[in-house]
Amino acid sequence: MQSDERPALFFCINCEEAHCGICSRKHSLVKQTSDHKCFSMNMVTTNVLLTITCGYHKQMKFQYYCLCHNVLCCNKCITVSHRDQECSLVELDSNAVMERADVSERNINECLDYLIGMNMYLYHNIEEITNSLTLSELSIEKDEKAVKYNRESHSMQTE
């Protein structure tokens, strides 16, 4: 289901295959594969991938990702199907993924801090606006009473 033109965006744990966005959507619509667990390639950690065995070489675990074919590879796959000079292989290094996860966690924490700050800012602004509206409402009511009183006074004087 991989496409040579489109990058792999999702990984199906059940099929042990990477899919582009279109193939992943089709994969989830097919009755036989609709219950498969597919994850964004960004979310699939190396630790998970390193525990999955190769679909072709059952005893071998994935150790590489082929950028040219958008597939995970074991050592045997590399020697059989991915030995071309054109293949770009990336070693599944759990330390590198952990560093990326660390950066992502820091980014998430920074975003959360920003959102909490904005939430507090908005809460205080809403409180100030509510108080301002209440004062305006009281002022309008006072002005309405004054206008009504003046109208009644004026109408009494004309009678």
Side-chain angles (χ1 to χ4, degrees):
M1 281 187 132
Q2 299 110 17
S3 166
D4 291 336
E5 297 89 39
R6 295 184 298 265
L9 300 174
F10 299 94
F11 183 79
C12 176
I13 299 292
N14 303 79
C15 296
E16 299 174 356
E17 286 184 334
H19 304 286
C20 68
I22 293 170
C23 292
S24 180
R25 174 84 175 124
K26 289 178 182 176
H27 190 72
S28 67
L29 295 175
V30 174
K31 186 176 182 177
Q32 293 85 349
T33 58
S34 62
D35 63 338
H36 284 196
K37 304 291 181 222
C38 293
F39 298 95
S40 165
M41 289 297 278
N42 294 335
M43 301 299 290
V44 179
T45 65
T46 301
N47 292 336
V48 170
L49 296 177
L50 289 173
T51 63
I52 300 172
T53 55
C54 177
Y56 300 106
H57 311 104
K58 299 291 184 195
Q59 75 282 8
M60 306 290 288
K61 296 197 185 292
F62 289 127
Q63 293 180 311
Y64 298 91
Y65 183 79
C66 177
L67 296 172
C68 298
H69 298 104
N70 291 324
V71 293
L72 292 165
C73 309
C74 69
N75 279 333
K76 215 171 207 174
C77 285
I78 292 169
T79 59
V80 175
S81 308
H82 302 273
R83 59 181 164 194
D84 292 348
Q85 307 225 336
E86 294 177 16
C87 282
S88 297
L89 298 170
V90 177
E91 189 172 358
L92 297 176
D93 176 13
S94 59
N95 292 330
V97 171
M98 292 309 288
E99 286 174 21
R100 255 192 12 227
D102 232 15
V103 169
S104 294
E105 186 176 343
R106 279 194 301 269
N107 290 345
I108 289 170
N109 286 334
E110 288 171 8
C111 288
L112 284 174
D113 288 344
Y114 172 77
L115 289 172
I116 289 168
M118 286 303 294
N119 188 31
M120 296 294 285
Y121 172 77
L122 292 172
Y123 175 78
H124 290 297
N125 276 354
I126 288 171
E127 203 170 276
E128 286 178 26
I129 291 169
T130 302
N131 289 339
S132 176
L133 286 172
T134 302
L135 290 174
S136 295
E137 186 180 20
L138 290 173
S139 176
I140 290 169
E141 286 175 2
K142 182 180 170 189
D143 290 346
E144 282 178 341
K145 286 180 184 178
V147 167
K148 188 177 180 182
Y149 176 78
N150 286 340
R151 196 177 330 148
E152 287 174 359
S153 295
H154 182 66
S155 99
M156 288 171 86
Q157 288 174 356
T158 56
E159 288 179 4

